[in-house]
Amino acid sequence: MTDMKSGNAAAEAAAEFPHPVLAEIGGVTKTVTFARLADAMDAVRTNLARLPLDDADAAHLAEYFAPHAHDRIARQLAEVGAVRTIAFVGIEAHVIYLRPAEEA
């Protein structure tokens, strides 16, 4: 059975991820720290749009990092500690990685 209190905590965490976020597209971008998850997701979308992805990959990744996916990604960061997926440019794989930044 699911504890309602923990479910509510996860929903609250998703409202706005409370930590800075590191984002990187392996072989394409350096790791960059963003103050807000929404900004990290926007940067990932912008950089992916510049890659010569096939139509199916481009559509999938645009949906995966779309603004309406913010809550899902925030929950995954809070519960798992990272979000990882892959963009293929031809046969070359580029790992897309988001994770909470350690606060100073």
Side-chain angles (χ1 to χ4, degrees):
M1 184 178 305
T2 304
D3 177 22
M4 292 297 285
K5 190 172 188 176
S6 65
N8 288 339
E12 288 173 16
E16 178 53 56
F17 190 70
H19 308 288
V21 176
L22 297 174
E24 177 183 1
I25 301 174
V28 176
T29 68
K30 293 181 179 180
T31 302
V32 178
T33 302
F34 295 90
R36 296 178 341 117
L37 174 57
D39 296 335
M41 290 173 59
D42 184 51
V44 168
R45 281 192 313 274
T46 298
N47 282 291
L48 288 172
R50 295 178 180 145
L51 296 177
L53 302 172
D54 69 32
D55 291 342
D57 243 2
H60 165 73
L61 292 168
E63 180 69 17
Y64 194 89
F65 291 103
H68 64 78
H70 180 276
D71 288 349
R72 174 185 48 79
I73 289 179
R75 271 192 308 279
Q76 187 171 343
L77 287 171
E79 295 171 5
V80 179
V83 172
R84 282 175 284 202
T85 191
I86 296 174
F88 284 96
V89 176
I91 61 169
E92 189 175 345
H94 298 277
V95 178
I96 303 163
Y97 196 59
L98 298 176
R99 66 184 184 275
E102 292 190 28
E103 297 188 55

